[in-house]
Amino acid sequence: MDAVFLARVQFGFTICFHFLFPPVTIGLGCILCFVEWRGWRKNDNVYAQMGKLFGKLFAMTFAVGIGSGIVMLFQFGTNWAPYSNFVANVFGASLAAESFFAFFLESTFMGLYLFGRGRVSKGVHWFSLFIVSLTAATFSAFFIIAANSWQQTPAGYALRNGRAELTNLSEAIFNPSTLLRYFHVIVASLTTGAFIFASVGAWHVLKDKHSLVGRQALLLGIVCGLVFSCLEAVPLGHMHAQQVARTQPEKFAAMEGLYIGQKAAPLVLFAIPFTNPPPPKLEATVEIPGLLSYMAFGVVDAHVQGINQFPRENWPPLFIVFVSFHTMTALGFSFIALMGLAACWLLRGRLYEARWLLKALVWSVPLPFLAIQLGWITAEMGRQPWIVYKLLRTSEGASRTVSAQEIGFSLTLFSVIDMALLVAWLFLMLRQAKEVPETVTVESSSTIEEPPQERHRGSKEAMVTKEESNGPEHAIVPVGRSAGGRLRRP
């Protein structure tokens, strides 16, 4: 096979694998930051136990994400040396800042969060998570998105001696697509974190409908999932699509399946694309006339450029861009529908009895991961055939000294290792998610609502007399719930 093709496959594989983990680190970490704060400031034992449960999921994902990201970076110097030489002067500042936040702040404070529970004060322990989740993780993500966005919409540079040299750092970092892409990714990550909370909470409620940790995790996941899913569609998704229509019209035409430029362009809701042999066409279309023009430019009869208005050699892969974009969009609206339905049943007080809906929430957790992967594929494949839009073609950025056999060997090796790592991560995540939370003490009963039929029994079993305990009168001992939901002594 061609060495350039294999280099593209290898980088696409490694970046898709790596991109499974940062959204969890960001989304789960930010919601976990609120959970740990409430457990600390409100002395809420339910949230404290929830923090322990999801903190372990967060830590395992963080570790795998760091390792997979390092492997991805090595390819810049091996498989993509001309590209690295072309962008080095521009990317230097962004990648240096990302490395500082990722490898110094994140790693240092992550260790304090993992091993500091019970060893440092609750305030210091929470602050370490705050640094990792809200400060380091989001700043790290910003500089990575800024560097990638520069490839989509270059700015703040000058071409000298065959290289892009930085002329304005602010323009390069805050290029036309950075902020919209950044917020789009962050909210997608928060949606993923919310689905993890909802899924784990639903699983625990299915096993024990009186599980307080399960109920609170489910409530938090549904509320956050509904809010973030709506924000991801409108305004962020809509505004990002408008930006692509203005700055990368070829990608926009491929995404929307607009193969012939026209006024009052229709919005394609569903179609089967046929792109080979040319000319490309859509079959079995379901569309709304004029809506694409209105959504892209605010005018119903605005002209939208079609793929036929660009040179054939500049067309992105039409089939994969169209399918990945429309599948991602359909998944996004399904998230709103699922979380909206769950919220309605929750408000009606019937969610905990609706086992079919709880099971749907449990099994829905892979879908945000799939939507994020499809979004990334849309963005990166839609930029082709350019590795830096309108400046450097992908074929020109590949190394000439690395053979197809060498890339094929390393690709096979990475695939085996990454798949083994993925299986191990999934196994550990599932085992940890199913772990029954530790016992909760009656001492925090002001923050815990027991079912009416259990409240009287729980208060009797939790209190022991002075003679029984040989301690202070009305001593408090830990109590917990068995699998059947009844209070028990440990």
Side-chain angles (χ1 to χ4, degrees), residues 27 31 189-199 220-222 224-225 228 339:
I31 301 175
S189 301
L190 290 169
T191 303
T192 304
F195 268 75
I196 293 174
F197 265 85
S199 177
L220 191 59
I222 290 172
C224 292
F228 294 135
M339 287 303 182

Side-chain angles (χ1 to χ4, degrees), residues 316-338:
L318 301 180
F319 182 87
I320 190 171
V321 173
F322 177 86
V323 172
S324 59
F325 173 73
H326 279 78
T327 307
M328 176 198 67
T329 304
L331 284 172
F333 283 106
S334 72
F335 299 159
I336 297 173
L338 177 60

Side-chain angles (χ1 to χ4, degrees), residues 201-216 218 349-355 358 449-451 453-454 481-486:
W203 189 90
H204 283 280
V205 171
L206 281 168
K207 294 299 177 182
D208 174 12
K209 67 179 180 181
H210 300 301
S211 171
L212 299 177
V213 170
R215 288 189 174 205
Q216 289 299 319
L218 181 58
R350 299 173 58 188
L351 179 61
Y352 305 129
E353 307 297 331
R355 296 183 64 85
L358 293 174
E449 243 183 82
E450 297 179 10
Q453 65 270 26
E454 302 287 355
R481 294 192 181 278
S482 64
R486 295 188 177 184

Side-chain angles (χ1 to χ4, degrees), residues 447-460:
T447 63
I448 302 173
E449 243 183 82
E450 297 179 10
Q453 65 270 26
E454 302 287 355
R455 191 173 296 140
H456 183 64
R457 184 188 302 128
S459 62
K460 286 185 177 181

Side-chain angles (χ1 to χ4, degrees), residues 40-340:
W40 161 45
R41 296 299 296 175
K42 304 295 183 180
N43 195 28
D44 191 324
N45 259 353
V46 174
Y47 275 78
Q49 297 303 328
M50 203 192 314
K52 292 180 181 179
L53 174 62
F54 287 94
K56 294 176 182 177
L57 302 179
F58 173 68
M60 286 187 288
T61 305
F62 179 89
V64 179
I66 290 291
S68 61
I70 294 174
V71 172
M72 181 186 65
L73 291 175
F74 282 136
Q75 295 176 65
F76 289 138
T78 56
N79 298 350
W80 302 98
Y83 159 78
S84 300
N85 180 65
F86 184 83
V87 301
N89 190 265
V90 176
F91 280 11
S94 296
L95 294 183
E98 190 276 334
S99 297
F100 171 77
F101 285 110
F103 291 100
F104 288 92
L105 283 180
E106 285 185 18
S107 301
T108 299
F109 283 94
M110 189 66 189
L112 182 59
Y113 174 70
L114 284 178
F115 303 108
R117 193 184 296 272
R119 294 181 176 87
V120 298
S121 68
K122 292 183 178 180
V124 171
H125 184 254
W126 176 83
F127 182 74
S128 65
L129 175 63
F130 175 81
I131 292 294
V132 173
S133 61
L134 295 185
T135 305
T138 51
F139 283 169
S140 176
F142 173 78
F143 288 112
I144 289 294
I145 294 296
N148 183 268
S149 296
W150 187 87
Q151 295 179 212
Q152 308 278 349
T153 52
Y157 71 95
L159 292 178
R160 300 190 183 103
N161 301 318
R163 303 175 65 202
E165 295 189 4
L166 186 67
T167 58
N168 189 309
L169 179 61
S170 177
E171 288 183 7
I173 291 179
F174 295 97
N175 59 75
S177 62
T178 294
L179 289 179
L180 286 172
R181 298 182 79 234
Y182 171 70
F183 288 117
H184 194 61
V185 169
I186 291 298
V187 175
S189 301
L190 290 169
T191 303
T192 304
F195 268 75
I196 293 174
F197 265 85
S199 177
V200 174
W203 189 90
H204 283 280
V205 171
L206 281 168
K207 294 299 177 182
D208 174 12
K209 67 179 180 181
H210 300 301
S211 171
L212 299 177
V213 170
R215 288 189 174 205
Q216 289 299 319
L218 181 58
L219 171 63
L220 191 59
I222 290 172
V223 172
C224 292
L226 180 58
V227 171
F228 294 135
S229 296
C230 291
L231 288 176
E232 186 72 351
V234 180
L236 293 176
H238 172 62
M239 293 172 65
H240 185 28
Q242 288 182 318
Q243 171 262 309
V244 173
R246 294 191 303 270
T247 60
Q248 293 176 283
E250 304 100 320
K251 179 196 288 188
F252 186 75
M255 287 165 44
E256 300 292 352
L258 190 67
Y259 299 149
I260 299 176
Q262 55 192 285
K263 291 185 176 182
L267 179 69
V268 177
L269 301 179
F270 175 83
I272 302 174
F274 290 91
T275 60
N276 192 26
K281 59 183 181 297
L282 298 177
E283 298 288 350
T285 57
V286 178
E287 58 188 27
I288 303 176
L291 186 56
L292 182 61
S293 292
Y294 179 77
M295 293 180 67
F297 299 106
V299 181
V300 174
D301 61 349
H303 181 271
V304 182
Q305 289 179 284
I307 202 69
N308 66 313
Q309 297 179 258
F310 303 98
R312 179 68 181 85
E313 62 271 17
N314 291 343
W315 289 7
L318 301 180
F319 182 87
I320 190 171
V321 173
F322 177 86
V323 172
S324 59
F325 173 73
H326 279 78
T327 307
M328 176 198 67
T329 304
L331 284 172
F333 283 106
S334 72
F335 299 159
I336 297 173
L338 177 60
M339 287 303 182

Side-chain angles (χ1 to χ4, degrees), residues 342-361:
C344 290
W345 281 69
L346 184 65
L347 290 173
R348 295 168 62 188
R350 299 173 58 188
L351 179 61
Y352 305 129
E353 307 297 331
R355 296 183 64 85
W356 63 271
L357 185 51
L358 293 174
K359 290 179 181 179
L361 290 170

